Amino acid sequence: MADHIIAPRDLDWHPKPLAPDYRSSLLRSPNHTRLHYDPTVTEMTGPTFGHGMLGPDDDDLIVNYAQAGEAAIGPRIIVHGKLLDEDGRPVSGKLIEVWQANAGGRYRHKKDGYAAPLDPNFGGCGRCISGEDGSYSFRTIQPGPYPWPNGGNDWRPAHIHFSVFGDGFAQRLITQMYFEGDPHIALCPIVQCIPSDTAIDRLVARLDMDNTVPMDIRAYRFDIVLRGRGATIFENQMEGT
Amino acid sequence: MMADFKESPSQTAGPYVHIGCVPTFAGLQGMYGGNDLGAKMITGDPNGSRITLTCHVIDGDGVPLKDAMVEIWQAGPDGTYGPTEGFSHWGRQPTDAHSGELVFETLKPGATAGQAPHLLAWITARGINLGLTTRIYFADEDNSSDPVLAVAGDRQATLIAQGGDGSYRHDIYLQGAQETVFFDV
Ligand SMILES: [Fe+2]
């Protein structure tokens, strides 16, 4: 049988659970290391979501919470890219959910009390399903940086949160997308939990003038990579423990 | 494997994960038709026994997290991963903002090819840099020959929900003497 139907996760590439400069991790990071077993049918399968559940504006944060005829305030952007696996193959038909602060850096959330005002026409969430070629696209406004309580003068770089499903639940991933050129990336304790600059760079979207619509909306390109999938699922896969 | 196609590094879900994943819970009225994905696992009248699983996610000070989100993925009563008419196999619940409690109303999974009945659970929250994967078994099942519980060794009690008669409780401890076993799988 195949050694791994889903490629092993490189835990040294991801942030460590305990990151002392990110204060919230102190009481929420397990002390034991994660115990390993090979994925079984439980981890190699996962939920599927059909296009039928999507509303027409689910992928358009500029209008999906706005009053009719109105739009969210802020720099208009397209965020698009491909959902791929570690073998470079498209991961199609998978749910991608995003959430973000508004252009002033304020979230529509009762726990967010930042001085920047809410935008009555901006909710801050969107979702779509990746296409046959793994492609996805959202329209939104560029979020603002915001301060957060971490014991010092900490500001998050402008970012969009991403939640992504794969074929197998073991591929499930939540991450954040940053914007090329943001000086807060180098200063942010949450970003800097990631051990290497190479890895951090994978979360930085690039300005994409080829897909920028003249006089309308700029584009940013952001590809998302999920753990690799084996080419073949063998009959005896369930013995993989 | 080319470095360009290495898994995107994880980042915390942060304190506002609800906006993106359970927007109705977060107060975004009418978003996605007012239905939070995964809130209802039983959508029809499937065969099988209905169970209620009540959980907390508890930090190193013994305090339940009020801003966590937990997802489960499980077999149906027949031990397969479906699809099953009227049942989603997947659920998603935020912890209550005051009590920290979350409740899954689901079907008891059947045994799956050499594995005792179990749920796969995935925990995200502010302060969790990479989603935590664990499993939840049931105290009233025969768990003696489950290969994943064997991996957990003398910590396997941290993976077993207590209760019976359709009602179970299971607390997930992020740290401390009762720290739950989390898996690299
Ligand atoms: Fe954020």
Side-chain angles (χ1 to χ4, degrees), chain A residues 9-10 13-14 16 22 24 26-28 31 35 42-43 86 97 172 175 178 202 225 227, chain B residues 3 5-9 11 60 67 71 81 92 118 126-127 129 135 175 179 182 184-185:
Chain A
R9 182 168 253 159
D10 181 357
W13 173 256
H14 290 280
K16 290 281 181 288
Y22 175 25
S24 292
L26 296 176
L27 289 172
R28 296 180 169 200
N31 296 133
L35 300 182
T42 304
E43 292 79 20
E86 290 180 307
E97 298 162 296
R172 188 85 177 82
T175 189
Y178 304 101
R202 299 301 154 79
V225 181
R227 292 168 66 184
Chain B
F5 296 119
K6 205 166 161 71
E7 186 184 18
S8 299
Q11 291 272 260
D67 56 5
E71 293 182 359
Y81 285 84
R92 169 190 272 174
H118 64 276
R126 169 175 65 85
N129 286 324
R135 279 187 172 200
Q175 293 180 357
E179 183 179 310
F182 299 105
D184 164 35
V185 57

mmCIF file of all heavy atoms in Angstrom, chain A residues 9-10 13-14 16 22 24 26-28 31 35 42-43 86 97 172 175 178 202 225 227, chain B residues 3 5-9 11 60 67 71 81 92 118 126-127 129 135 175 179 182 184-185:
data_model
loop_
_atom_site.group_PDB
_atom_site.id
_atom_site.type_symbol
_atom_site.label_atom_id
_atom_site.label_comp_id
_atom_site.label_asym_id
_atom_site.label_seq_id
_atom_site.Cartn_x
_atom_site.Cartn_y
_atom_site.Cartn_z
ATOM 1 N N ARG A 9 2.746 16.252 7.284
ATOM 2 C CA ARG A 9 2.818 17.701 7.478
ATOM 3 C C ARG A 9 4.193 18.035 8.057
ATOM 4 O O ARG A 9 4.655 17.372 8.987
ATOM 5 C CB ARG A 9 1.708 18.111 8.436
ATOM 6 C CG ARG A 9 1.612 19.583 8.715
ATOM 7 C CD ARG A 9 0.307 19.891 9.442
ATOM 8 N NE ARG A 9 -0.639 20.551 8.564
ATOM 9 C CZ ARG A 9 -1.943 20.583 8.758
ATOM 10 N NH1 ARG A 9 -2.471 19.961 9.781
ATOM 11 N NH2 ARG A 9 -2.730 21.229 7.916
ATOM 12 N N ASP A 10 4.831 19.053 7.508
ATOM 13 C CA ASP A 10 6.134 19.500 8.014
ATOM 14 C C ASP A 10 5.897 20.493 9.146
ATOM 15 O O ASP A 10 5.710 21.684 8.923
ATOM 16 C CB ASP A 10 6.926 20.153 6.870
ATOM 17 C CG ASP A 10 8.302 20.620 7.322
ATOM 18 O OD1 ASP A 10 8.615 20.493 8.536
ATOM 19 O OD2 ASP A 10 9.065 21.112 6.476
ATOM 20 N N TRP A 13 7.756 23.790 9.513
ATOM 21 C CA TRP A 13 7.438 24.848 8.549
ATOM 22 C C TRP A 13 6.354 25.779 9.098
ATOM 23 O O TRP A 13 6.308 26.962 8.796
ATOM 24 C CB TRP A 13 6.994 24.168 7.255
ATOM 25 C CG TRP A 13 6.452 24.969 6.132
ATOM 26 C CD1 TRP A 13 5.136 25.078 5.776
ATOM 27 C CD2 TRP A 13 7.186 25.728 5.158
ATOM 28 N NE1 TRP A 13 5.013 25.853 4.648
ATOM 29 C CE2 TRP A 13 6.254 26.264 4.248
ATOM 30 C CE3 TRP A 13 8.551 25.993 4.972
ATOM 31 C CZ2 TRP A 13 6.625 27.057 3.167
ATOM 32 C CZ3 TRP A 13 8.922 26.784 3.891
ATOM 33 C CH2 TRP A 13 7.973 27.308 3.009
ATOM 34 N N HIS A 14 5.476 25.191 9.922
ATOM 35 C CA HIS A 14 4.365 25.931 10.522
ATOM 36 C C HIS A 14 4.818 26.609 11.813
ATOM 37 O O HIS A 14 5.843 26.245 12.379
ATOM 38 C CB HIS A 14 3.213 24.965 10.834
ATOM 39 C CG HIS A 14 2.531 24.437 9.609
ATOM 40 N ND1 HIS A 14 1.592 25.161 8.913
ATOM 41 C CD2 HIS A 14 2.666 23.265 8.941
ATOM 42 C CE1 HIS A 14 1.163 24.456 7.879
ATOM 43 N NE2 HIS A 14 1.804 23.307 7.863
ATOM 44 N N LYS A 16 5.213 27.221 15.670
ATOM 45 C CA LYS A 16 5.163 26.338 16.832
ATOM 46 C C LYS A 16 3.943 26.720 17.678
ATOM 47 O O LYS A 16 3.500 27.861 17.650
ATOM 48 C CB LYS A 16 6.428 26.515 17.671
ATOM 49 C CG LYS A 16 7.688 25.966 16.995
ATOM 50 C CD LYS A 16 7.753 24.464 17.155
ATOM 51 C CE LYS A 16 8.993 23.891 16.512
ATOM 52 N NZ LYS A 16 8.912 23.933 15.024
ATOM 53 N N TYR A 22 3.652 36.052 21.069
ATOM 54 C CA TYR A 22 2.210 36.090 20.794
ATOM 55 C C TYR A 22 1.536 35.605 22.071
ATOM 56 O O TYR A 22 1.434 34.415 22.329
ATOM 57 C CB TYR A 22 1.880 35.195 19.598
ATOM 58 C CG TYR A 22 0.414 35.039 19.270
ATOM 59 C CD1 TYR A 22 -0.535 36.002 19.620
ATOM 60 C CD2 TYR A 22 -0.042 33.910 18.596
ATOM 61 C CE1 TYR A 22 -1.874 35.846 19.320
ATOM 62 C CE2 TYR A 22 -1.375 33.743 18.284
ATOM 63 C CZ TYR A 22 -2.294 34.707 18.657
ATOM 64 O OH TYR A 22 -3.621 34.542 18.356
ATOM 65 N N SER A 24 -1.327 35.317 23.447
ATOM 66 C CA SER A 24 -2.475 34.400 23.544
ATOM 67 C C SER A 24 -2.072 32.931 23.453
ATOM 68 O O SER A 24 -2.840 32.048 23.837
ATOM 69 C CB SER A 24 -3.484 34.689 22.430
ATOM 70 O OG SER A 24 -4.103 35.933 22.619
ATOM 71 N N LEU A 26 0.263 31.506 25.132
ATOM 72 C CA LEU A 26 0.868 31.000 26.362
ATOM 73 C C LEU A 26 -0.004 29.956 27.054
ATOM 74 O O LEU A 26 0.488 28.914 27.493
ATOM 75 C CB LEU A 26 1.177 32.155 27.326
ATOM 76 C CG LEU A 26 2.220 33.172 26.839
ATOM 77 C CD1 LEU A 26 2.373 34.315 27.837
ATOM 78 C CD2 LEU A 26 3.569 32.498 26.594
ATOM 79 N N LEU A 27 -1.283 30.225 27.171
ATOM 80 C CA LEU A 27 -2.176 29.311 27.887
ATOM 81 C C LEU A 27 -2.958 28.399 26.954
ATOM 82 O O LEU A 27 -3.780 27.613 27.390
ATOM 83 C CB LEU A 27 -3.168 30.111 28.754
ATOM 84 C CG LEU A 27 -2.570 30.808 29.974
ATOM 85 C CD1 LEU A 27 -3.602 31.716 30.634
ATOM 86 C CD2 LEU A 27 -2.048 29.784 30.983
ATOM 87 N N ARG A 28 -2.695 28.525 25.647
ATOM 88 C CA ARG A 28 -3.492 27.764 24.682
ATOM 89 C C ARG A 28 -2.637 26.817 23.835
ATOM 90 O O ARG A 28 -3.124 26.258 22.853
ATOM 91 C CB ARG A 28 -4.271 28.747 23.804
ATOM 92 C CG ARG A 28 -5.286 29.555 24.607
ATOM 93 C CD ARG A 28 -6.081 30.530 23.773
ATOM 94 N NE ARG A 28 -7.205 31.072 24.530
ATOM 95 C CZ ARG A 28 -8.277 31.640 23.988
ATOM 96 N NH1 ARG A 28 -8.370 31.772 22.682
ATOM 97 N NH2 ARG A 28 -9.247 32.097 24.745
ATOM 98 N N ASN A 31 1.525 21.340 25.680
ATOM 99 C CA ASN A 31 2.926 21.116 26.051
ATOM 100 C C ASN A 31 3.483 19.844 25.418
ATOM 101 O O ASN A 31 4.663 19.771 25.108
ATOM 102 C CB ASN A 31 3.070 21.022 27.575
ATOM 103 C CG ASN A 31 2.693 22.330 28.259
ATOM 104 O OD1 ASN A 31 1.948 22.355 29.235
ATOM 105 N ND2 ASN A 31 3.189 23.433 27.732
ATOM 106 N N LEU A 35 1.136 13.511 18.675
ATOM 107 C CA LEU A 35 1.453 12.102 18.432
ATOM 108 C C LEU A 35 1.071 11.740 17.008
ATOM 109 O O LEU A 35 0.018 12.127 16.516
ATOM 110 C CB LEU A 35 0.716 11.216 19.435
ATOM 111 C CG LEU A 35 1.041 11.483 20.915
ATOM 112 C CD1 LEU A 35 0.274 10.497 21.808
ATOM 113 C CD2 LEU A 35 2.540 11.380 21.180
ATOM 114 N N THR A 42 -10.752 8.013 8.002
ATOM 115 C CA THR A 42 -11.345 9.173 8.672
ATOM 116 C C THR A 42 -10.684 10.468 8.230
ATOM 117 O O THR A 42 -11.359 11.471 7.969
ATOM 118 C CB THR A 42 -11.191 9.027 10.206
ATOM 119 O OG1 THR A 42 -11.779 7.797 10.610
ATOM 120 C CG2 THR A 42 -11.850 10.177 10.942
ATOM 121 N N GLU A 43 -9.368 10.454 8.135
ATOM 122 C CA GLU A 43 -8.633 11.681 7.810
ATOM 123 C C GLU A 43 -8.525 11.908 6.312
ATOM 124 O O GLU A 43 -8.250 13.026 5.860
ATOM 125 C CB GLU A 43 -7.223 11.611 8.404
ATOM 126 C CG GLU A 43 -7.199 11.662 9.925
ATOM 127 C CD GLU A 43 -7.554 10.327 10.561
ATOM 128 O OE1 GLU A 43 -7.450 9.279 9.894
ATOM 129 O OE2 GLU A 43 -7.957 10.339 11.742
ATOM 130 N N GLU A 86 0.428 19.982 -2.738
ATOM 131 C CA GLU A 86 1.898 20.072 -2.737
ATOM 132 C C GLU A 86 2.539 19.443 -3.962
ATOM 133 O O GLU A 86 3.741 19.570 -4.163
ATOM 134 C CB GLU A 86 2.457 19.442 -1.451
ATOM 135 C CG GLU A 86 2.141 20.273 -0.217
ATOM 136 C CD GLU A 86 2.681 19.654 1.056
ATOM 137 O OE1 GLU A 86 2.389 18.465 1.310
ATOM 138 O OE2 GLU A 86 3.388 20.356 1.800
ATOM 139 N N GLU A 97 -13.464 30.040 2.670
ATOM 140 C CA GLU A 97 -14.175 31.097 3.398
ATOM 141 C C GLU A 97 -13.163 32.156 3.815
ATOM 142 O O GLU A 97 -12.045 31.830 4.209
ATOM 143 C CB GLU A 97 -14.852 30.519 4.642
ATOM 144 C CG GLU A 97 -15.914 29.469 4.322
ATOM 145 C CD GLU A 97 -16.258 28.603 5.533
ATOM 146 O OE1 GLU A 97 -15.372 27.873 6.017
ATOM 147 O OE2 GLU A 97 -17.404 28.664 5.980
ATOM 148 N N ARG A 172 -7.322 20.176 6.136
ATOM 149 C CA ARG A 172 -8.004 21.387 6.626
ATOM 150 C C ARG A 172 -6.970 22.404 7.090
ATOM 151 O O ARG A 172 -6.028 22.074 7.808
ATOM 152 C CB ARG A 172 -8.906 20.956 7.779
ATOM 153 C CG ARG A 172 -9.846 21.992 8.312
ATOM 154 C CD ARG A 172 -11.121 22.073 7.538
ATOM 155 N NE ARG A 172 -12.010 23.055 8.148
ATOM 156 C CZ ARG A 172 -11.915 24.370 7.916
ATOM 157 N NH1 ARG A 172 -11.027 24.861 7.087
ATOM 158 N NH2 ARG A 172 -12.740 25.212 8.513
ATOM 159 N N THR A 175 -5.514 30.067 7.587
ATOM 160 C CA THR A 175 -4.319 30.896 7.522
ATOM 161 C C THR A 175 -4.720 32.350 7.260
ATOM 162 O O THR A 175 -5.907 32.696 7.353
ATOM 163 C CB THR A 175 -3.322 30.342 6.484
ATOM 164 O OG1 THR A 175 -2.088 31.058 6.602
ATOM 165 C CG2 THR A 175 -3.839 30.443 5.068
ATOM 166 N N TYR A 178 -1.460 38.285 3.532
ATOM 167 C CA TYR A 178 -0.960 39.650 3.741
ATOM 168 C C TYR A 178 -0.741 40.323 2.393
ATOM 169 O O TYR A 178 -0.859 39.687 1.339
ATOM 170 C CB TYR A 178 0.328 39.599 4.571
ATOM 171 C CG TYR A 178 0.100 38.871 5.876
ATOM 172 C CD1 TYR A 178 0.494 37.535 6.046
ATOM 173 C CD2 TYR A 178 -0.580 39.481 6.915
ATOM 174 C CE1 TYR A 178 0.224 36.851 7.235
ATOM 175 C CE2 TYR A 178 -0.845 38.816 8.098
ATOM 176 C CZ TYR A 178 -0.439 37.501 8.250
ATOM 177 O OH TYR A 178 -0.720 36.825 9.422
ATOM 178 N N ARG A 202 5.101 33.013 1.476
ATOM 179 C CA ARG A 202 4.000 32.281 0.826
ATOM 180 C C ARG A 202 2.635 32.865 1.187
ATOM 181 O O ARG A 202 1.639 32.519 0.559
ATOM 182 C CB ARG A 202 4.025 30.800 1.216
ATOM 183 C CG ARG A 202 5.266 30.092 0.817
ATOM 184 C CD ARG A 202 5.484 30.148 -0.694
ATOM 185 N NE ARG A 202 6.881 30.019 -0.995
ATOM 186 C CZ ARG A 202 7.544 28.875 -1.007
ATOM 187 N NH1 ARG A 202 6.926 27.764 -0.744
ATOM 188 N NH2 ARG A 202 8.827 28.863 -1.282
ATOM 189 N N VAL A 225 -1.799 26.515 -0.852
ATOM 190 C CA VAL A 225 -1.344 25.145 -1.067
ATOM 191 C C VAL A 225 -1.754 24.281 0.120
ATOM 192 O O VAL A 225 -1.490 24.629 1.269
ATOM 193 C CB VAL A 225 0.185 25.077 -1.274
ATOM 194 C CG1 VAL A 225 0.633 23.634 -1.515
ATOM 195 C CG2 VAL A 225 0.615 25.987 -2.425
ATOM 196 N N ARG A 227 -1.831 20.196 1.820
ATOM 197 C CA ARG A 227 -0.982 18.996 1.854
ATOM 198 C C ARG A 227 -1.208 18.131 0.622
ATOM 199 O O ARG A 227 -2.319 18.026 0.120
ATOM 200 C CB ARG A 227 -1.291 18.187 3.113
ATOM 201 C CG ARG A 227 -0.873 18.883 4.381
ATOM 202 C CD ARG A 227 -1.437 18.206 5.596
ATOM 203 N NE ARG A 227 -0.877 16.872 5.775
ATOM 204 C CZ ARG A 227 -1.264 16.032 6.743
ATOM 205 N NH1 ARG A 227 -2.202 16.381 7.584
ATOM 206 N NH2 ARG A 227 -0.690 14.855 6.851
ATOM 207 N N ALA B 3 9.624 23.383 -3.456
ATOM 208 C CA ALA B 3 9.311 24.270 -2.339
ATOM 209 C C ALA B 3 8.132 25.179 -2.659
ATOM 210 O O ALA B 3 7.372 25.561 -1.789
ATOM 211 C CB ALA B 3 10.539 25.106 -1.974
ATOM 212 N N PHE B 5 5.494 24.430 -3.908
ATOM 213 C CA PHE B 5 4.246 23.740 -3.628
ATOM 214 C C PHE B 5 4.306 23.072 -2.262
ATOM 215 O O PHE B 5 3.920 21.923 -2.108
ATOM 216 C CB PHE B 5 3.907 22.741 -4.726
ATOM 217 C CG PHE B 5 3.661 23.400 -6.055
ATOM 218 C CD1 PHE B 5 4.448 23.104 -7.150
ATOM 219 C CD2 PHE B 5 2.655 24.347 -6.195
ATOM 220 C CE1 PHE B 5 4.216 23.711 -8.373
ATOM 221 C CE2 PHE B 5 2.418 24.972 -7.410
ATOM 222 C CZ PHE B 5 3.209 24.655 -8.508
ATOM 223 N N LYS B 6 4.829 23.810 -1.302
ATOM 224 C CA LYS B 6 4.782 23.325 0.069
ATOM 225 C C LYS B 6 3.525 23.920 0.706
ATOM 226 O O LYS B 6 3.092 25.024 0.348
ATOM 227 C CB LYS B 6 6.033 23.808 0.807
ATOM 228 C CG LYS B 6 6.438 22.961 1.980
ATOM 229 C CD LYS B 6 7.856 23.331 2.389
ATOM 230 C CE LYS B 6 8.180 22.884 3.790
ATOM 231 N NZ LYS B 6 8.335 21.441 3.923
ATOM 232 N N GLU B 7 2.946 23.164 1.642
ATOM 233 C CA GLU B 7 1.702 23.611 2.277
ATOM 234 C C GLU B 7 1.805 25.060 2.754
ATOM 235 O O GLU B 7 2.819 25.457 3.342
ATOM 236 C CB GLU B 7 1.387 22.709 3.470
ATOM 237 C CG GLU B 7 0.038 23.001 4.101
ATOM 238 C CD GLU B 7 -0.233 22.165 5.343
ATOM 239 O OE1 GLU B 7 0.722 21.617 5.927
ATOM 240 O OE2 GLU B 7 -1.417 22.089 5.728
ATOM 241 N N SER B 8 0.777 25.842 2.523
ATOM 242 C CA SER B 8 0.746 27.212 3.039
ATOM 243 C C SER B 8 0.878 27.162 4.557
ATOM 244 O O SER B 8 0.185 26.376 5.209
ATOM 245 C CB SER B 8 -0.571 27.900 2.678
ATOM 246 O OG SER B 8 -0.738 27.969 1.283
ATOM 247 N N PRO B 9 1.762 27.991 5.129
ATOM 248 C CA PRO B 9 1.892 27.958 6.580
ATOM 249 C C PRO B 9 0.595 28.412 7.258
ATOM 250 O O PRO B 9 -0.111 29.277 6.754
ATOM 251 C CB PRO B 9 3.041 28.920 6.873
ATOM 252 C CG PRO B 9 3.314 29.655 5.626
ATOM 253 C CD PRO B 9 2.707 28.909 4.495
ATOM 254 N N GLN B 11 -1.844 30.124 10.118
ATOM 255 C CA GLN B 11 -1.890 31.243 11.042
ATOM 256 C C GLN B 11 -3.140 31.072 11.897
ATOM 257 O O GLN B 11 -4.128 30.446 11.476
ATOM 258 C CB GLN B 11 -1.961 32.581 10.283
ATOM 259 C CG GLN B 11 -0.669 32.904 9.536
ATOM 260 C CD GLN B 11 0.326 33.661 10.413
ATOM 261 O OE1 GLN B 11 0.456 34.869 10.341
ATOM 262 N NE2 GLN B 11 1.053 32.935 11.266
ATOM 263 N N GLY B 60 -4.844 26.698 29.909
ATOM 264 C CA GLY B 60 -3.889 26.308 30.935
ATOM 265 C C GLY B 60 -4.219 26.806 32.328
ATOM 266 O O GLY B 60 -3.645 26.327 33.312
ATOM 267 N N ASP B 67 -13.968 31.809 22.745
ATOM 268 C CA ASP B 67 -13.856 32.257 21.347
ATOM 269 C C ASP B 67 -13.300 31.165 20.429
ATOM 270 O O ASP B 67 -12.725 31.458 19.394
ATOM 271 C CB ASP B 67 -12.983 33.519 21.264
ATOM 272 C CG ASP B 67 -11.595 33.336 21.877
ATOM 273 O OD1 ASP B 67 -11.264 32.195 22.295
ATOM 274 O OD2 ASP B 67 -10.839 34.318 21.938
ATOM 275 N N GLU B 71 -14.708 21.820 14.862
ATOM 276 C CA GLU B 71 -15.362 21.080 13.789
ATOM 277 C C GLU B 71 -15.185 19.588 14.050
ATOM 278 O O GLU B 71 -14.136 19.165 14.570
ATOM 279 C CB GLU B 71 -14.758 21.427 12.429
ATOM 280 C CG GLU B 71 -15.042 22.865 12.014
ATOM 281 C CD GLU B 71 -14.486 23.230 10.643
ATOM 282 O OE1 GLU B 71 -13.841 22.377 9.992
ATOM 283 O OE2 GLU B 71 -14.691 24.377 10.225
ATOM 284 N N TYR B 81 -18.394 6.915 5.475
ATOM 285 C CA TYR B 81 -18.376 8.371 5.409
ATOM 286 C C TYR B 81 -19.350 8.943 4.378
ATOM 287 O O TYR B 81 -19.209 10.069 3.929
ATOM 288 C CB TYR B 81 -16.935 8.858 5.202
ATOM 289 C CG TYR B 81 -16.172 8.731 6.501
ATOM 290 C CD1 TYR B 81 -15.583 7.526 6.871
ATOM 291 C CD2 TYR B 81 -16.131 9.786 7.404
ATOM 292 C CE1 TYR B 81 -14.948 7.373 8.098
ATOM 293 C CE2 TYR B 81 -15.502 9.654 8.635
ATOM 294 C CZ TYR B 81 -14.907 8.456 8.964
ATOM 295 O OH TYR B 81 -14.297 8.321 10.187
ATOM 296 N N ARG B 92 -19.920 22.003 12.753
ATOM 297 C CA ARG B 92 -19.066 23.123 13.175
ATOM 298 C C ARG B 92 -19.831 23.891 14.241
ATOM 299 O O ARG B 92 -20.978 24.244 14.037
ATOM 300 C CB ARG B 92 -18.805 24.003 11.956
ATOM 301 C CG ARG B 92 -18.174 25.334 12.255
ATOM 302 C CD ARG B 92 -18.195 26.210 11.022
ATOM 303 N NE ARG B 92 -17.013 26.000 10.195
ATOM 304 C CZ ARG B 92 -16.859 26.571 8.993
ATOM 305 N NH1 ARG B 92 -17.802 27.337 8.482
ATOM 306 N NH2 ARG B 92 -15.754 26.367 8.301
ATOM 307 N N HIS B 118 -15.722 6.704 16.454
ATOM 308 C CA HIS B 118 -15.001 7.902 16.864
ATOM 309 C C HIS B 118 -15.402 9.088 16.002
ATOM 310 O O HIS B 118 -15.947 8.925 14.910
ATOM 311 C CB HIS B 118 -13.484 7.687 16.752
ATOM 312 C CG HIS B 118 -13.024 7.461 15.346
ATOM 313 N ND1 HIS B 118 -13.068 6.213 14.749
ATOM 314 C CD2 HIS B 118 -12.525 8.302 14.404
ATOM 315 C CE1 HIS B 118 -12.623 6.299 13.507
ATOM 316 N NE2 HIS B 118 -12.300 7.565 13.264
ATOM 317 N N ARG B 126 -8.142 31.970 18.696
ATOM 318 C CA ARG B 126 -7.061 32.894 19.022
ATOM 319 C C ARG B 126 -6.027 32.149 19.876
ATOM 320 O O ARG B 126 -6.392 31.389 20.773
ATOM 321 C CB ARG B 126 -7.669 34.060 19.825
ATOM 322 C CG ARG B 126 -6.689 34.986 20.461
ATOM 323 C CD ARG B 126 -7.396 36.157 21.107
ATOM 324 N NE ARG B 126 -8.263 35.774 22.234
ATOM 325 C CZ ARG B 126 -7.853 35.609 23.495
ATOM 326 N NH1 ARG B 126 -6.593 35.786 23.813
ATOM 327 N NH2 ARG B 126 -8.716 35.264 24.429
ATOM 328 N N GLY B 127 -4.759 32.332 19.580
ATOM 329 C CA GLY B 127 -3.708 31.697 20.377
ATOM 330 C C GLY B 127 -3.345 30.292 19.929
ATOM 331 O O GLY B 127 -2.381 29.717 20.425
ATOM 332 N N ASN B 129 -1.951 28.368 16.886
ATOM 333 C CA ASN B 129 -1.263 28.738 15.646
ATOM 334 C C ASN B 129 -1.497 27.761 14.507
ATOM 335 O O ASN B 129 -1.371 28.137 13.339
ATOM 336 C CB ASN B 129 0.244 28.855 15.910
ATOM 337 C CG ASN B 129 0.579 30.116 16.678
ATOM 338 O OD1 ASN B 129 -0.035 31.148 16.478
ATOM 339 N ND2 ASN B 129 1.555 30.025 17.582
ATOM 340 N N ARG B 135 -9.192 13.155 18.516
ATOM 341 C CA ARG B 135 -10.322 12.255 18.271
ATOM 342 C C ARG B 135 -11.161 12.155 19.527
ATOM 343 O O ARG B 135 -10.662 12.349 20.637
ATOM 344 C CB ARG B 135 -9.830 10.861 17.864
ATOM 345 C CG ARG B 135 -9.432 10.748 16.403
ATOM 346 C CD ARG B 135 -9.140 9.309 16.075
ATOM 347 N NE ARG B 135 -8.929 9.096 14.640
ATOM 348 C CZ ARG B 135 -9.032 7.896 14.055
ATOM 349 N NH1 ARG B 135 -9.325 6.824 14.769
ATOM 350 N NH2 ARG B 135 -8.819 7.769 12.765
ATOM 351 N N GLN B 175 -3.777 22.308 27.962
ATOM 352 C CA GLN B 175 -2.554 22.185 28.759
ATOM 353 C C GLN B 175 -2.880 21.485 30.071
ATOM 354 O O GLN B 175 -4.037 21.261 30.386
ATOM 355 C CB GLN B 175 -1.980 23.576 29.110
ATOM 356 C CG GLN B 175 -1.449 24.379 27.953
ATOM 357 C CD GLN B 175 -0.898 25.732 28.409
ATOM 358 O OE1 GLN B 175 -0.958 26.088 29.598
ATOM 359 N NE2 GLN B 175 -0.366 26.487 27.460
ATOM 360 N N GLU B 179 -3.973 17.265 29.915
ATOM 361 C CA GLU B 179 -3.860 17.712 28.516
ATOM 362 C C GLU B 179 -4.330 16.633 27.547
ATOM 363 O O GLU B 179 -3.888 15.486 27.598
ATOM 364 C CB GLU B 179 -2.417 18.118 28.193
ATOM 365 C CG GLU B 179 -2.262 18.670 26.772
ATOM 366 C CD GLU B 179 -0.818 19.107 26.458
ATOM 367 O OE1 GLU B 179 -0.229 19.861 27.254
ATOM 368 O OE2 GLU B 179 -0.300 18.680 25.404
ATOM 369 N N PHE B 182 -3.266 15.431 21.212
ATOM 370 C CA PHE B 182 -3.461 15.983 19.869
ATOM 371 C C PHE B 182 -2.557 15.227 18.908
ATOM 372 O O PHE B 182 -1.476 14.774 19.291
ATOM 373 C CB PHE B 182 -3.169 17.487 19.853
ATOM 374 C CG PHE B 182 -4.079 18.249 20.771
ATOM 375 C CD1 PHE B 182 -3.608 18.729 21.989
ATOM 376 C CD2 PHE B 182 -5.414 18.447 20.437
ATOM 377 C CE1 PHE B 182 -4.459 19.408 22.849
ATOM 378 C CE2 PHE B 182 -6.271 19.121 21.304
ATOM 379 C CZ PHE B 182 -5.783 19.603 22.515
ATOM 380 N N ASP B 184 -0.613 14.462 15.095
ATOM 381 C CA ASP B 184 0.000 14.842 13.828
ATOM 382 C C ASP B 184 -0.402 13.733 12.861
ATOM 383 O O ASP B 184 0.166 12.653 12.882
ATOM 384 C CB ASP B 184 1.518 14.928 14.005
ATOM 385 C CG ASP B 184 2.253 14.927 12.678
ATOM 386 O OD1 ASP B 184 1.719 15.507 11.712
ATOM 387 O OD2 ASP B 184 3.357 14.342 12.621
ATOM 388 N N VAL B 185 -1.374 14.009 12.048
ATOM 389 C CA VAL B 185 -1.895 12.955 11.168
ATOM 390 C C VAL B 185 -2.165 13.531 9.792
ATOM 391 O O VAL B 185 -2.458 14.702 9.648
ATOM 392 C CB VAL B 185 -3.166 12.312 11.748
ATOM 393 C CG1 VAL B 185 -4.242 13.347 12.001
ATOM 394 C CG2 VAL B 185 -3.677 11.197 10.859
#
